[in-house]
Amino acid sequence: MDYNSIKTDIRNLTEKIDGRTLAVLGFLFYSSIILNYPYKNYLTVDEPYYYDQALKIREGIFVNFENTQPFAYPILLALTITNDIIILRLLNAAIFSISIYLLFNLTSKYFDKKTAQLTVLIFAINPISIDVATLLFTEGLFLIFLFGSFILYERLKQEKKPFFTSLLLGVTMGLAAETRVVGIFLPFFFLLLAVLDKKIKVFIPAFII
């Protein structure tokens, strides 16, 4: 057995693993957990709130969001046009897997590929991440908007005419705020970054939106 050859093959295989591959693997991993969970047909923790809100939104019934997160996530669930808990959880797993892809792309902008792979691996198999990915929680959708905001901000800094990117960043931050309340602080965080990066003029459209 040629151990050097095996080692080389493993290294070459590792180098081919990108964000899309990790996202797909993550989705398959989370899906297996969802499908094999013994109580998969029962809602738990905060799931009943979002599930009930989604059903009411679909039926055109007034929904009170006073004691829960804002409306973006329940609206997304309502648009799926299904009451099947398992399907909704699989959708949520797909959403969280997109955040894995975005995190890989974001990390790759600052570090090498191996660091990005390790970062995503730790992120994906974290027990909290597994809960967020396999249950009807808002964090997966919020992370898409959060990571997306950082990616758009980096693009904004590099473009010569970043007006459209700035508008898109504003919309993304707004969607983050409508997914989780903590998102209302994102515009102020990026405003501070824009001041430090001397990009305040190009960031103004995003902040206004």
Side-chain angles (χ1 to χ4, degrees):
M1 182 178 292
D2 189 349
Y3 290 101
N4 290 330
S5 177
I6 294 175
K7 188 176 181 180
T8 301
D9 291 341
I10 293 174
R11 185 184 301 113
N12 292 336
L13 179 62
T14 302
E15 291 175 354
K16 293 180 180 179
I17 297 177
D18 58 8
R20 286 173 293 186
T21 303
L22 291 168
V24 171
L25 291 174
F27 176 71
L28 294 175
F29 172 61
Y30 301 136
S31 296
S32 67
I33 294 176
I34 293 170
L35 296 174
N36 290 288
Y37 183 61
Y39 305 106
K40 57 188 174 185
N41 292 314
Y42 297 91
L43 296 168
T44 183
V45 199
D46 290 339
E47 287 186 304
Y49 296 106
Y50 304 123
Y51 185 81
D52 180 64
Q53 289 170 348
L55 295 183
K56 288 182 177 178
I57 290 172
R58 192 182 302 154
E59 296 171 4
I61 301 174
F62 174 77
V63 179
N64 183 4
F65 294 93
E66 182 177 352
N67 297 317
T68 62
Q69 298 294 342
F71 55 80
Y73 186 70
I75 286 179
L76 178 64
L77 296 181
L79 292 174
T80 60
I81 317 179
T82 179
N83 297 341
D84 191 293
I85 298 171
I86 297 175
I87 294 177
L88 292 175
R89 283 178 176 160
L90 290 173
L91 169 66
N92 191 73
I95 290 171
F96 192 85
S97 298
I98 294 173
S99 75
I100 289 177
Y101 171 76
L102 294 177
L103 178 60
F104 180 86
N105 286 351
L106 181 61
T107 309
S108 297
K109 292 180 181 295
Y110 300 98
F111 305 99
D112 58 44
K113 192 171 185 178
K114 288 184 179 180
T115 303
Q117 291 171 339
L118 180 61
T119 300
V120 168
L121 178 62
I122 295 173
F123 170 75
I125 64 174
N126 183 291
I128 296 177
S129 294
I130 293 175
D131 276 349
V132 168
T134 58
L135 299 175
L136 300 180
F137 290 161
T138 61
E139 283 84 353
L141 185 61
F142 176 77
L143 287 172
I144 288 179
F145 297 134
L146 177 63
F147 297 153
S149 295
F150 276 99
I151 291 172
L152 288 170
Y153 179 75
E154 288 300 315
R155 183 191 300 176
L156 180 149
K157 292 195 302 181
Q158 298 170 5
E159 291 180 345
K160 294 181 179 179
K161 296 181 179 180
F163 180 75
F164 176 76
T165 301
S166 184
L167 291 178
L168 188 57
L169 173 58
V171 171
T172 304
M173 291 189 297
L175 290 171
E178 295 302 339
T179 304
R180 291 187 63 81
V181 175
V182 69
I184 63 175
F185 297 107
L186 274 183
F188 303 100
F189 172 78
F190 282 107
L191 178 63
L192 177 60
L193 284 184
V195 171
L196 294 175
D197 293 330
K198 298 180 181 179
K199 295 290 183 178
I200 186 64
K201 290 184 179 180
V202 296
F203 179 74
I204 287 177
F207 187 78
I208 292 176
I209 290 180

